[in-house]
Amino acid sequence: MAERDPIELHARHDHQEVLPPELPGSARKPKRRKVIAGLVAAKLAIGGAAWLLIDRSHVSTDNAYVNADSALVTPLVSGAVTAVPVVNTQTVHKGDILLRLDDSDARLALAKAEAEYLTARRQFAQTKSTSGSLAAQVEARGADIGQAQAQMAAAAAGFDKARVDFQRRSELAQSGAVSGEELTATRNAYRTAQANLTMARAAMAQASASRGAARQSWAANEALVAGTTIDASPDVAAARAKLDQARLDLARTVIRAPVDGVVTNRQVQIGQRIAAGSAVMTVVPVNRVYVDANFKEGQLARVRPGQPVELTSDLYGEDVVYHGRVAGFAGGTGSAFALIPAQNATGNWIKVVQRLPVRVVLDARELAQHPLRVGLSMAAKIDVSGYGRD
């Protein structure tokens, strides 16, 4: 084998990469641990900075909507519609006419009730006058009793005289001192006096009974009018109540706005016959709307009534900020009052974060400057900085 040139060997040796000696396994581990510790420290530093930058003094949601206690217009009497002077979107004030019904039947009922009221008053006056007449009849029956007593006394005296005469004539007739004709005459006179006494006693009883009946009639009549006036009489009061009801029914043929607001959902036309209690339209009080903000249950730990709220509407954008206050919380979540509430007793249970409606009242002046409508979307942010954790 030929020997290599020494110069060539030296050149190749100069071009070879000089590598450091390999470290043993025990020397690599401290270096890896330092790298991992540095990464963990950097992550903690980033998390701490993010935690410091998060706004913990507010809770917010964009699941909020404008609402209002709308007035549902329902006529209290039935009838045919003769006029509807309002349309949807029209602004009305409390007392403005919304609807007119045919009032022909109501006017007839009012006239009949007025006649019955006048009749009741006249009957009371007549009953009160009759009481005086019955009292006079009681006194007249008392006079009849006096006359009957006098007649009975006279009949009794005549009877006693006729009885004595008859007894005397009967004794003398046995000795022949009195004729048979005279004895017969005294006997007839005695029987006549006896009959007159019986008639007088019957007349006395009849006069007493008449006076008793007159007293009963007077007492019954007095029970109707004693201690009362014409206006306090039960019959008159009932007639007056019926008259007031007729007047109220006539007034109810004109339906007026119960509150200030905007007419919406009008469901009635001229000529349509509507029943009492049927909904015909709705008046939304846009100057008294509020916001129902649906917050997650985990956001409500520090929310309390009275805390300030800032709200923005999609209608005006973020340039218009409303200021309000937390008025209160709903009695339950939206799912709790659903038509078919969720039932989690089947075993296939998945936790779903619930939302609780929070009522927020708005500033009336801001609401007047930028009116809202029911159903509009809102974003709400509650300042909870005034509530500290325990």
Side-chain angles (χ1 to χ4, degrees):
M1 180 177 180
E3 295 184 359
R4 295 185 180 180
D5 187 7
I7 298 175
E8 182 180 358
L9 291 174
H10 181 72
R12 290 182 179 179
H13 179 75
D14 290 339
H15 287 284
Q16 287 182 353
E17 183 180 1
V18 180
L19 298 176
E22 293 184 1
L23 297 175
S26 59
R28 291 186 195 174
K29 292 182 180 180
K31 186 176 180 180
R32 183 179 301 174
R33 289 174 181 172
K34 289 181 180 180
V35 173
I36 294 174
L39 292 176
V40 172
K43 186 174 182 180
L44 291 176
I46 294 173
W51 184 79
L52 291 174
L53 293 175
I54 292 175
D55 185 4
R56 300 187 307 277
S57 63
H58 294 82
V59 292
S60 61
T61 181
D62 57 359
N63 189 352
Y65 304 93
V66 179
N67 209 338
D69 295 327
S70 302
L72 190 63
V73 180
T74 55
L76 300 179
V77 294
S78 60
V81 179
T82 59
V84 188
V86 296
V87 295
N88 286 332
T89 72
Q90 181 174 339
T91 300
V92 295
H93 300 283
K94 183 178 180 180
D96 290 349
I97 296 177
L98 304 178
L99 194 70
R100 288 184 182 273
L101 302 179
D102 184 8
D103 60 357
S104 301
D105 294 337
R107 291 186 179 278
L108 291 175
L110 177 60
K112 182 179 179 181
E114 288 176 344
E116 292 178 352
Y117 175 66
L118 294 176
T119 300
R121 292 180 65 89
R122 182 172 299 177
Q123 287 178 349
F124 179 85
Q126 182 180 358
T127 302
K128 197 165 186 178
S129 299
T130 303
S131 184
S133 175
L134 293 175
Q137 290 182 11
V138 171
E139 294 180 359
R141 298 293 83 79
D144 291 344
I145 289 176
Q147 182 179 0
Q149 287 176 344
Q151 291 177 354
M152 189 175 65
F159 174 74
D160 290 340
K161 182 180 181 299
R163 179 172 55 81
V164 171
D165 289 344
F166 177 67
Q167 289 177 353
R168 187 181 299 164
R169 296 294 189 279
S170 297
E171 293 175 355
L172 293 176
Q174 293 179 359
S175 61
V178 175
S179 63
E181 183 179 355
E182 186 177 357
L183 180 61
T184 301
T186 55
R187 182 185 293 111
N188 292 337
Y190 168 71
R191 290 176 178 175
T192 300
Q194 188 178 21
N196 290 337
L197 179 60
T198 302
M199 292 177 60
R201 287 175 177 171
M204 177 66 185
Q206 183 178 2
S208 297
S210 296
R211 184 177 65 177
R215 283 181 174 175
Q216 292 294 333
S217 297
W218 175 78
N221 199 80
E222 276 294 299
L224 297 176
V225 298
T228 185
T229 62
I230 188 171
D231 291 326
S233 170
D235 292 339
V236 175
R240 184 174 60 250
K242 189 174 181 180
L243 175 60
D244 293 340
Q245 182 65 53
R247 287 174 177 167
L248 184 60
D249 290 342
L250 178 60
R252 284 173 172 171
T253 58
V254 179
I255 295 91
R256 301 180 181 274
V259 294
D260 297 345
V262 176
V263 175
T264 185
N265 197 26
R266 200 192 86 169
Q267 304 177 17
V268 63
Q269 302 295 333
I270 295 177
Q272 179 181 351
R273 183 172 181 85
I274 57 177
S278 58
V280 294
M281 66 183 69
T282 303
V283 178
V284 181
V286 293
N287 58 338
R288 291 185 293 175
V289 298
Y290 50 83
V291 173
D292 284 331
N294 303 299
F295 283 90
K296 295 179 181 179
E297 51 189 322
Q299 295 178 291
L300 299 175
R302 295 189 294 162
V303 177
R304 296 293 182 272
Q307 290 175 336
V309 185
E310 291 185 355
L311 306 101
T312 57
S313 170
D314 292 348
L315 178 64
Y316 299 106
E318 296 182 355
D319 295 336
V320 177
V321 178
Y322 295 89
H323 298 84
R325 292 276 177 181
V326 175
F329 304 87
T333 63
S335 61
F337 298 105
L339 184 60
I340 304 178
Q343 297 293 332
N344 296 324
T346 60
N348 300 323
W349 179 73
I350 300 175
K351 179 178 175 59
V352 178
V353 176
Q354 300 298 317
R355 291 181 180 267
L356 184 70
V358 176
R359 178 68 53 86
V360 178
V361 294
L362 302 175
D363 186 283
R365 291 174 297 180
E366 296 177 350
L367 194 58
Q369 294 174 358
H370 299 91
L372 296 171
R373 293 296 185 267
V374 173
L376 292 179
S377 299
M378 302 286 287
K381 182 169 67 174
I382 303 177
D383 185 358
V384 297
S385 59
Y387 179 82
R389 294 184 179 275
D390 295 336

